């Protein structure tokens, strides 16, 4: 089923298009300004101040209000089969919302009922369907992890190393035959090498920094290692990606806010949309900042499920549900000076990753 939204100044309209062609529509009376405020309230971290660590917020009230507003009016028209696929086509301020974490009055997340995926722009499915590859699970994987992060300007703060990225990369590459994987790590993860290798790979995984520029979306960039010669400075902007040939069946951007950005007329100007225009069939990217410990579990679990035969959408849901179950049981811990501490049951640790493009 398709779940589509259109956000107006004083109301939002939701449509459900079912596989048999039946269409149900509902009007939701809410001002765009109020809806935008609720979406902002779902952000897991408050406004960042210099020299201060980010503060984890409790967005549960916003998650529940948005479920009441956006899901309950159309719930009767949605599939009743547990885990059924729902393609969500958001609009305007809803494009930066993780629908997976919408929570009903019983505390049940939308992800627990449905398998979800998104197009970052409505017209893209007519292009992505033809890009799916035959046998992508046996295709070549390019793993890019913890580059010597380049900076767009000397005025930008230096980007820190990503030791968790190397752990994540190792856990994923172990699941593939050795001859199927090409790994680029640290100084070897140059822009030149990635540009040369990417067109021949079925799967691209980037465990690297993404710097999102809300004031200039096309200047947002993926920070790779500089090649030391020519124009390959390691800064791959969203505008650069639009001009690349990336015919991969799957791209994973394991980096902060790689699916978040400025709302434009036909979607959100993000790396997700850029890679899909560049020829990618499906992309997994994040709406929020990425935490090492859950990501090191979630993305290897996603690959495990997908390589085992699940669709990409079902594999991501399975991995997220496992993290959710582990969090609820207190099985996810982080080391601190006072010992290991359980990670709280919070959507930031599993709901930030989303699948864009083809679900299979």
């Amino acid at each position: 089923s398709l779940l589509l939204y259109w956000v107006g100044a004083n109301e939002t309209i939701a449509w459900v298009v079912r596989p048999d062609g039946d269409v149900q529509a509902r009007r939701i009376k809410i001002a765009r300004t109020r809806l935008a405020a609720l979406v902002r309230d779902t952000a897991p971290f408050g406004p960042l101040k210099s020299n201060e660590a980010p503060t984890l917020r409790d967005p549960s009230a916003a998650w529940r209000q948005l479920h009441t507003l956006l899901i309950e009016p159309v719930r009767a028209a949605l599939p009743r089969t547990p885990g059924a696929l729902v393609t969500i086509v958001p609009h305007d301020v809803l494009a930066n919302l993780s629908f997976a974490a919408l929570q009903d009055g019983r505390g049940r997340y939308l992800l627990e009922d449905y398998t979800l995926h998104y197009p970052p722009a409505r017209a893209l499915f007519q292009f992505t369907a033809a890009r799916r590859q035959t046998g992508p699970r046996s295709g070549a994987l390019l793993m890019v992890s913890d580059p010597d992060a380049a900076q767009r300007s000397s005025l930008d703060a230096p980007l820190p190393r990503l030791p968790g990225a190397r752990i994540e990369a190792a856990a994923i590459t172990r699941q593939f035959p050795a001859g199927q994987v090409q790994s680029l790590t640290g100084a070897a993860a140059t822009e030149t090498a990635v540009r040369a290798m990417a067109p021949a790979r079925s799967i691209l995984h980037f465990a690297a920094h993404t710097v999102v520029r809300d004031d200039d979306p096309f200047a947002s960039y993926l920070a790779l290692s500089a090649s030391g010669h020519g124009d390959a400075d390691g800064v791959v902007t969203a505008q650069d990606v639009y001009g690349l040939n990336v015919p991969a069946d799957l791209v994973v951007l394991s980096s902060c806010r790689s699916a978040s950005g400025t709302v434009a007329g036909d979607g959100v100007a993000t790396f997700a949309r850029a890679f899909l225009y560049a020829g990618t069939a499906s992309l997994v990217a994040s709406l929020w900042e990425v935490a090492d410990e859950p990501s090191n579990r979630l993305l290897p679990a996603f690959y495990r499920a997908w390589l085992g035969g699940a669709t990409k959408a079902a594999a991501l849901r399975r991995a997220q549900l496992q993290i959710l179950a582990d969090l609820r049981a207190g099985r996810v811990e982080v080391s601190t000076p006072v010992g290991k501490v359980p990670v709280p049951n919070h959507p930031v640790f599993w709901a930030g990753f989303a699948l864009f493009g083809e679900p299979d």
Side-chain angles (χ1 to χ4, degrees):
S1 295
L2 285 168
L3 176 55
L4 306 96
Y5 293 93
W6 182 86
V7 177
N10 298 304
E11 68 176 1
T12 291
I13 302 176
W15 293 268
V16 175
V17 183
R18 295 195 290 211
D20 61 4
D22 179 70
V23 179
Q24 301 285 328
R26 299 291 186 271
R27 292 180 180 272
I28 303 164
K29 293 295 182 182
I30 184 172
R32 179 187 181 277
T33 52
R34 175 58 180 153
L35 190 60
L38 285 171
V39 173
R40 284 195 300 272
D41 286 346
T42 65
F45 299 104
L48 299 181
K49 299 178 181 179
S50 59
N51 301 321
E52 289 187 11
T55 302
L56 189 63
R57 303 192 301 188
D58 178 10
S60 55
W63 290 128
R64 287 176 176 167
Q65 288 182 60
L66 287 166
H67 188 283
T68 299
L69 287 166
L70 301 175
I71 302 301
E72 291 184 11
V74 297
R75 192 60 184 255
L78 292 174
R80 297 184 181 181
T81 304
L85 181 68
V86 175
T87 299
I88 297 178
V89 185
H91 175 245
D92 198 62
V93 297
L94 298 180
N96 281 319
L97 176 65
S98 173
F99 281 78
L102 297 186
Q103 197 173 30
D104 66 17
R106 301 170 297 163
R108 187 174 178 84
Y109 294 106
L110 192 65
L111 182 78
E112 296 182 84
D113 294 325
Y114 301 111
T115 301
L116 308 173
H117 78 119
Y118 310 78
R122 298 177 183 179
L124 277 178
F125 283 130
Q126 62 183 307
F127 303 107
T128 57
R131 295 172 181 164
R132 291 174 53 197
Q133 298 182 9
T134 302
R137 295 174 180 85
S138 59
L141 163 67
L142 177 61
M143 173 61 69
V144 181
S145 61
D146 191 24
D148 291 347
Q151 297 170 253
R152 186 171 177 83
S153 166
S154 60
L155 300 177
D156 292 340
L159 296 170
R161 304 302 311 193
L162 296 169
R166 298 190 181 218
I167 297 172
E168 174 188 308
I172 292 168
T173 55
R174 282 196 296 267
Q175 301 183 49
F176 290 81
Q180 197 174 334
V181 180
Q182 176 70 52
S183 293
L184 298 174
T185 303
T190 65
E191 177 184 351
T192 298
V194 170
R195 284 177 177 265
M197 296 178 181
R201 267 59 187 184
S202 297
I203 310 160
L204 305 178
H205 187 105
F206 295 92
H209 283 290
T210 298
V211 178
V212 176
R213 291 279 304 275
D214 291 317
D215 60 329
D216 185 2
F218 288 111
S220 299
Y221 65 93
L222 185 65
L224 303 177
S225 301
S227 301
H229 55 82
D231 296 328
D233 58 3
V235 174
V236 181
T237 66
Q239 188 166 10
D240 291 336
V241 175
Y242 276 99
L244 297 178
N245 176 31
V246 190
D249 190 81
L250 173 65
V251 170
V252 177
L253 296 179
S254 178
S255 55
C256 294
R257 296 188 62 205
S258 51
S260 175
T262 302
V263 175
D266 62 344
V268 178
T270 65
F271 281 106
R273 188 168 67 176
F275 272 98
L276 292 172
Y277 272 105
T280 300
S282 307
L283 183 137
V284 174
S286 66
L287 292 161
W288 306 320
E289 290 76 8
V290 175
D292 273 351
E293 177 58 29
S295 296
N296 291 345
R297 291 173 176 240
L298 191 149
L299 292 174
F302 160 72
Y303 279 100
R304 193 176 304 114
W306 181 57
L307 292 172
T311 66
K312 296 163 192 163
L316 182 59
R317 176 177 184 258
R318 189 178 302 175
Q320 290 174 316
L321 288 177
Q322 183 59 60
I323 294 290
L324 177 58
D326 289 343
L327 289 169
R328 284 172 169 166
R331 291 191 291 264
V332 182
E333 298 178 326
V334 293
S335 297
T336 71
V338 296
K340 290 189 175 182
V341 177
V343 174
N345 176 16
H346 193 296
V348 67
F349 299 117
W350 57 268
F353 282 100
L355 177 70
F356 299 89
E358 291 299 310
D360 296 335

